[in-house]
Each structure stands twice: as C-alpha cells, then as structure tokens.
Amino acid sequence: MTASREALLELQRQNAFDPVPLRAGLHSTHIPFDRLTGSTNTEAELTRCMRGAERVAIAGRSGVGKTSLIGYVCAELADEVAPLRVPVDAEDDDTVTDPAAFCRHLIRTLARHLADARAIDDKTRTELLAGTADAVGLTKRQARQAGLGLPKWMLQADVARDAETAATATFERSAADHIAQARDVIEAVAAHDLIPMIVIDDSDAWLATAVGDRSSVIAPFFSRVMRVLAEELRAGIVVAVHDRYFDLPEFPRGRGFLEQVIHVPGLPDVDAVAAILAGRTLDIVDLPVDQIVATDAIKALHDGYQLVEGNIRTMLLLAHTALQTACEDDAEHITHRHVEIAMTRFRDVPG
C-alpha cells in the first residue's frame, strides 16, 4: 500500500475533517484568520480586547469560525485570561432574558465545571497544565470526565478553590443575591491576577435554528442581560453574534453595552482553504496536504465554500465526505471528482 493511500485511511480513521470536532480540541485546529488574510483585524484585535477586559461581539454567520476563533485566543491567553463559558443555546427563554436568572445559570455552570476540575486525578491535571493531554479518540463524555476542555485557570487549585467557594455559598436567593454571587465569583478569580472573561459563543443559534420570531429572546438578552453584566460585573465579555442580528430593530438596544465588534473575515483564496485542510492533517500524517488533496480538489472545495456563503463548517463537511468517497474508491488522494460527489450529496439532503 502506498504512503498516500495509507495517509487517506488514517485521516478517515481519525476523522480529520470532522466539521464538528470536540469543543475541547477546537482551538487546536484553528488557523488564525490574521495569518490567512495578512491583517491584524481578528485574532490580534480580540487579544487586545481580552487583555483590556472589554465587551466585544464576534460577528458572523453560523459556521464561519466564531467559536474556534474565541477558543484559540482564550488558549493563547491562558496565563492571563480566565474564560467563564456560559452556554445559552439550550436554555429556556427565562434564563437568557432575565439578568438574575442568567447570573444563576452562570454560577451553576461554573460550579459544575469546577467540580469536574476538582475530580481530576493528579496525573491528568499535570498533563493538562503541561498541554500534553489529548482529546483525540475520546467521546465528549470521556473528554469532560478527563477534564479536557476545562480552561487552565480551573486546573489551578488555589484559583479553583476560591471560585468554587464563592459559587457554592448560600444566599437568600433573591434576584439581587444571584447577581451579587456572580460578582463574588468573578472577584475571586480576579484576585489571582487573572482577567475574567464571560464567554457566550452560541447565541447565534437562536436565529440559525429558531422557528418563528425570536426577537422576544434576542432583544432582552442584548439589552437587559447585557446591561446588568456590564454594570454589575467586573469582567470582560465575548459574545458570538449572528451578523443578521444587526438587521433586527431590537438589536441596537443592546449594542451600546458592547464596546467592540469584530467581524469574522471570509477565506480570501484557495491557499486559505489549503491551509485549513493542512491544519487538520498536520498532526496525523507526514505528507503535505497537496499530496493528500489534489490541487483541483482544493479549488473545488473553495468553490463549494463560496457556494455555501462562507461556511467553513460546511466546507469541511464536503472535505469529510470527499475523503470517505476517496477511501471507498481505493484512491491515492482526494480528487476533484470526489469533491463533486460530495457536493451532489450535499445538494440532495432535504432542507
């Protein structure tokens, strides 16, 4: 069996082009947009905002790379910034429209993650802090149990202890108490010379997956909730925003609480697509990407990327499907034909 054929099979086994990899390892597959575009408008700008504890919106359509961008910069600033990720996509409307309920959700989320961090064995903790632990091959549940995906600050015993003490303290549980407790948690983290950053990287899903008018969620979240976070908590904020939000009449009411907006750029050319594919193969096989994916196939993937309006996730799905087809064909590399088959299958999917 040739080296290129073995490489294709190994990439398939490792799900190299998985369009939705584990969140824990998402930052490691991110190719900086600043490098792809030759600018300093994306990662460098978000780095500046985080170091200044600013409130910043990361704007773009679903699938353009907002979450991986945020995760990448958080990982790069792991010794300075303490990200507090608060998921909102799956929460009920009250949780994301009422400031006190949101603070309660923030506290519970952190308490759960801090309990996971406390349960990690010393060997795994050492590997995680050293950056030698690996999420490849683990299910999401296994990764969570092993502590993969927890930010570095949660693995530092003194910081985690103080934050968990604040997160599990007993209050009267009034609305003001929930806000005060969130403030205590953030101040406990900041006391260790870290910059607390509230990270909300899935709010774009309200528009992308919602049925009907979601202004009843979007408006109060970006006005009432964001206002309380800005006025009551000494923390920076990074929130992913679907770019269609800017067209909604409700959105400007919350826009004033976001100091900066960073728009995720598109991939400028075929070389950028090749760089993203290379980033997914680099740690799996030794061959360069042009010996795995033919030049005309990379061009076809770029055409597909433009066809799906700049959705990197869908472009990777096309690459993933083309890889499977190439392996079924006993091919030496992914060809233009394999990408065309993937495009046909994508177009044939209902909806």
Side-chain angles (χ1 to χ4, degrees), residues 8 297 318 321-327 329-343:
L8 285 183
L318 295 175
T321 305
L323 172 61
Q324 291 177 324
T325 306
C327 289
D329 277 356
D330 292 330
E332 295 290 322
H333 51 260
I334 298 171
T335 67
H336 181 277
R337 185 179 71 84
H338 297 135
V339 177
E340 285 296 310
I341 292 172
M343 286 292 297

Side-chain angles (χ1 to χ4, degrees), residues 153-208:
W153 72 268
M154 287 190 182
L155 303 171
Q156 298 171 357
D158 53 345
V159 188
R161 180 192 62 244
D162 292 349
E164 189 171 17
T165 298
T168 55
T170 302
F171 285 83
E172 292 298 323
R173 302 305 181 190
S174 68
D177 284 336
H178 290 305
I179 296 171
Q181 188 170 12
R183 186 186 306 120
D184 289 346
V185 171
I186 287 170
E187 290 178 356
V189 174
H192 292 270
D193 294 324
L194 291 168
I195 303 168
M197 292 293 302
I198 297 172
V199 175
I200 305 166
D201 62 10
D202 59 351
S203 71
D204 64 337
W206 290 331
L207 188 62

Side-chain angles (χ1 to χ4, degrees), residues 6-277:
E6 289 180 353
L8 285 183
L9 293 173
E10 184 59 24
L11 291 174
Q12 184 184 37
R13 281 192 290 268
Q14 297 280 1
N15 284 319
F17 300 141
D18 182 358
V20 190
L22 286 171
R23 185 180 295 272
L26 192 59
H27 70 275
S28 65
T29 66
H30 180 76
I31 305 299
F33 289 104
D34 284 350
R35 184 191 311 169
L36 298 175
T37 62
S39 72
T40 58
N41 298 326
T42 312
E43 286 80 9
E45 182 64 9
L46 181 54
T47 296
R48 184 195 65 76
C49 290
M50 284 193 177
R51 282 180 168 152
E54 295 184 12
R55 298 181 299 277
V56 55
I58 306 299
R61 292 179 179 271
S62 296
V64 300
K66 298 189 298 295
T67 299
S68 62
L69 162 64
I70 294 168
Y72 175 84
V73 176
C74 284
E76 291 290 298
L77 296 178
D79 292 327
E80 305 173 51
V81 169
L84 293 73
R85 181 176 181 268
V86 189
V88 297
D89 176 24
E91 300 306 313
D92 59 66
D93 289 357
D94 288 344
T95 298
V96 296
T97 57
D98 175 68
F102 183 86
C103 286
R104 182 170 65 249
H105 174 49
L106 182 155
I107 294 163
R108 288 175 175 173
T109 300
L110 290 179
R112 184 173 67 253
H113 291 326
L114 288 163
D116 288 342
R118 181 164 31 83
I120 297 171
D121 62 84
D122 291 340
K123 178 177 180 295
T124 302
R125 184 186 301 275
T126 300
E127 290 177 349
L128 288 166
L129 286 170
T132 57
D134 192 356
V136 173
L138 297 181
T139 65
K140 292 185 179 182
R141 180 172 178 272
Q142 289 170 329
R144 182 178 59 79
Q145 290 176 331
L148 294 167
L150 292 173
K152 185 176 180 179
W153 72 268
M154 287 190 182
L155 303 171
Q156 298 171 357
D158 53 345
V159 188
R161 180 192 62 244
D162 292 349
E164 189 171 17
T165 298
T168 55
T170 302
F171 285 83
E172 292 298 323
R173 302 305 181 190
S174 68
D177 284 336
H178 290 305
I179 296 171
Q181 188 170 12
R183 186 186 306 120
D184 289 346
V185 171
I186 287 170
E187 290 178 356
V189 174
H192 292 270
D193 294 324
L194 291 168
I195 303 168
M197 292 293 302
I198 297 172
V199 175
I200 305 166
D201 62 10
D202 59 351
S203 71
D204 64 337
W206 290 331
L207 188 62
T209 62
V211 176
D213 181 14
R214 296 297 283 163
S215 59
S216 61
V217 169
I218 296 168
F221 175 78
F222 284 104
S223 56
R224 294 182 63 207
V225 172
M226 203 62 64
R227 177 182 62 79
V228 169
L229 296 182
E231 293 178 350
E232 300 291 341
L233 306 183
R234 291 179 177 271
I237 300 172
V238 178
V239 56
V241 176
H242 198 292
D243 59 7
R244 284 173 57 195
Y245 285 9
F246 292 88
D247 298 327
L248 300 176
E250 301 86 3
F251 184 74
R253 281 185 276 171
R255 175 68 179 83
F257 303 110
L258 296 170
E259 299 167 283
Q260 298 289 338
V261 176
I262 297 174
H263 293 272
V264 177
L267 303 181
D269 49 34
V270 174
D271 289 342
V273 172
I276 288 177
L277 299 178

